[in-house]
């Protein structure tokens, strides 16, 4: 009979699925729970959740993602400190916080801000993967760190979250070991930098919108009207006729299709549309800029 095998003292994991305990000696799990793993046995772990250290129990190993951590303290004072790069820890916490806000934006119907947060979140997820991979050269990692910090600070500001105070290298300042004056100056410097970036972003959007309106107001549209009177084919069965605008230079279609269904009797299948098979193709300024007339 096999026995429970002890795990290393610093063995911890994160719940990746919810689990409802069915027996008294089991632990219920919620996604995101951090657990200290004490023992393992045939697909099960025994340990406790860090939010309730006094209750120990077993839980499925397949529901846990084991993380590299180190244990600090003893007994009820024991905590698991992730061995990840501090920036990766901050990225993880930021993504979790933004995900909650992102969900609320979706429910409230704020489409513009929802899409904005979505793009920022996707960028952070991609950058986090690059950092974790450990394959970036030192100079590229430093550059990426600056982009990540800038994106986090910018996102927190427009979402109304607290500003993270950092030093000149982007490291988070510890308020317990930093003077009040230093914290104030760092906060003021970062806040002014973010405000400048927000103004630049608004100016860029305004410039793009003005340019778009200028293009549409000064460029003419081109239209092609078609009135189909007859269509002859000798295939002995129903046919479909597709019409669209085609660019021979780029070898691609630049409009949607106009579809006419023709019966084998030589008449439109929708007989009520006889002599009313009309279509109007309009080339918009944006399409014409990329497909100029020859």
């Amino acid at each position: 009979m096999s026995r429970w095998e002890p795990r290393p003292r610093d063995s911890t994991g994160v719940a990746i699925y919810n689990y409802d305990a069915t027996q008294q000696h089991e632990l219920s799990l919620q996604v995101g729970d951090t657990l200290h793993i004490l023992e393992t046995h045939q697909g099960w772990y025994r340990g406790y959740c860090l939010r309730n250290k006094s209750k120990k129990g077993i839980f499925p190993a397949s529901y846990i993602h084991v993380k590299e951590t180190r244990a600090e303290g003893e007994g009820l004072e024991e905590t698991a400190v992730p061995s990840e790069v501090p920036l990766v820890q901050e990225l993880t916490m930021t993504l979790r916080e933004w995900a909650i806000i992102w969900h609320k934006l979706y429910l409230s119907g704020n489409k513009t801000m929802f899409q904005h947060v979505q793009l920022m979140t996707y960028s952070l997820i991609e950058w986090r993967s690059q950092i974790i991979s450990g394959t970036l050269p030192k100079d590229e990692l430093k550059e990426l760190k600056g982009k990540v910090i800038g994106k986090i600070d910018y996102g927190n500001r427009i979402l109304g979250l607290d500003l993270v105070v950092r030093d000149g290298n982007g490291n988070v300042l510890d308020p317990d070991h930093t003077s009040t004056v230093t914290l104030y100056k760092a906060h003021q410097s970062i806040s002014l930098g973010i405000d400048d970036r927000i103004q630049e972003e608004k100016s860029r959007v305004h410039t793009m919108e003005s340019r778009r309106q200028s293009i549409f107001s000064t460029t003419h549209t081109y239209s092609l009207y078609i009135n189909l009177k007859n269509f002859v084919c000798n295939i002995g069965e129903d046919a479909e006729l597709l019409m669209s605008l085609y660019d021979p230079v780029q070898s691609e279609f630049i409009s949607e299709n106009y579809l006419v269904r023709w019966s084998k009797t030589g008449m439109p299948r929708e007989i009520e549309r006889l002599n009313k098979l009309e279509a109007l193709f309009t080339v918009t300024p944006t399409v014409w800029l990329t497909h100029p007339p020859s």
Side-chain angles (χ1 to χ4, degrees):
M1 180 177 178
S2 58
R3 298 181 179 181
W4 286 88
E5 298 179 1
R7 295 277 298 184
R9 176 172 174 266
D10 56 355
S11 180
T12 61
V14 177
I16 56 177
Y17 303 107
N18 292 332
Y19 179 73
D20 295 325
T22 58
Q23 300 184 33
Q24 185 176 1
H25 58 274
E26 293 182 353
L27 282 183
S28 294
L29 306 177
Q30 294 181 2
V31 173
D33 281 348
T34 302
L35 299 114
H36 193 156
I37 305 171
L38 302 174
E39 297 174 311
T40 180
H41 174 67
Q42 295 183 351
W44 289 81
Y45 287 145
R46 179 179 176 274
Y48 56 86
C49 181
L50 294 187
R51 58 184 171 85
N52 186 9
K53 300 178 182 178
S54 61
K55 183 179 180 180
K56 295 182 175 64
I58 66 172
F59 41 90
S62 58
Y63 282 52
I64 304 299
H65 171 68
V66 179
K67 300 184 65 177
E68 294 183 5
T69 59
R70 66 180 187 275
E72 293 185 354
E74 295 289 345
L76 295 179
E77 301 298 327
E78 184 176 8
T79 57
V81 180
S83 300
E84 300 171 334
V85 178
L87 183 59
V88 175
Q89 298 180 39
E90 184 180 357
L91 268 169
T92 303
M93 295 173 59
T94 300
L95 289 171
R96 289 176 179 172
E97 192 171 16
W98 286 9
I100 297 174
I101 299 175
W102 189 31
H103 179 65
K104 292 180 179 179
L105 291 173
Y106 175 78
L107 295 179
S108 65
N110 191 339
K111 184 177 180 181
T112 302
M113 185 59 74
F114 173 82
Q115 293 177 340
H116 195 28
V117 175
Q118 182 183 43
L119 293 175
M120 292 192 301
T121 301
Y122 286 171
S123 296
L124 291 186
I125 292 174
E126 180 183 353
W127 294 340
R128 182 178 182 274
S129 299
Q130 294 179 16
I131 295 174
I132 292 177
S133 68
T135 58
L136 293 177
K138 188 175 181 179
D139 55 341
E140 292 186 15
L141 181 61
K142 182 178 180 180
E143 181 181 355
L144 183 58
K145 180 180 178 180
K147 292 169 62 177
V148 169
I149 292 173
K151 185 72 71 175
I152 290 176
D153 292 343
Y154 174 78
N156 286 341
R157 171 57 65 87
I158 65 174
L159 293 176
L161 301 175
D162 293 336
L163 179 63
V164 179
V165 183
R166 311 175 188 276
D167 60 18
N169 297 321
N171 301 313
V172 179
L173 292 176
D174 186 352
D176 295 332
H177 299 85
T178 308
S179 67
T180 304
V181 175
T182 302
L183 287 173
Y184 173 77
K185 290 182 178 180
H187 184 281
Q188 187 179 43
S189 176
I190 296 173
S191 181
L192 291 175
I194 296 175
D195 289 340
D196 291 341
R197 182 178 176 186
I198 291 176
Q199 291 300 323
E200 291 177 2
E201 185 71 13
K202 291 181 178 179
S203 177
R204 184 183 67 83
V205 173
H206 177 72
T207 301
M208 292 178 61
E209 182 65 19
S210 300
R211 182 181 178 186
R212 186 186 69 83
Q213 294 179 357
S214 175
I215 292 176
F216 275 83
S217 62
T218 58
T219 307
H220 298 288
T221 58
Y222 296 85
S223 302
L224 176 65
Y225 171 74
I226 295 178
N227 188 349
L228 181 62
K229 296 295 186 181
N230 194 16
F231 171 55
V232 179
C233 61
N234 186 21
I235 57 178
E237 57 185 20
D238 293 347
E240 292 182 346
L241 174 64
L242 290 173
M243 290 179 285
S244 63
L245 298 183
Y246 181 77
D247 180 7
V249 178
Q250 300 293 331
S251 300
E252 62 180 8
F253 293 97
I254 59 173
S255 73
E256 296 182 353
N257 294 327
Y258 175 58
L259 173 65
V260 178
R261 293 184 173 86
W262 209 260
S263 69
K264 59 183 178 182
T265 61
M267 302 288 286
R269 292 183 61 182
E270 296 88 359
I271 193 63
E272 67 276 1
R273 297 185 60 192
L274 184 63
N275 297 324
K276 297 180 181 179
L277 299 172
E278 302 169 322
L280 181 65
F281 291 99
T282 301
V283 180
T284 62
T286 52
V287 173
W288 208 262
L289 287 174
T290 55
H291 304 82
S294 56

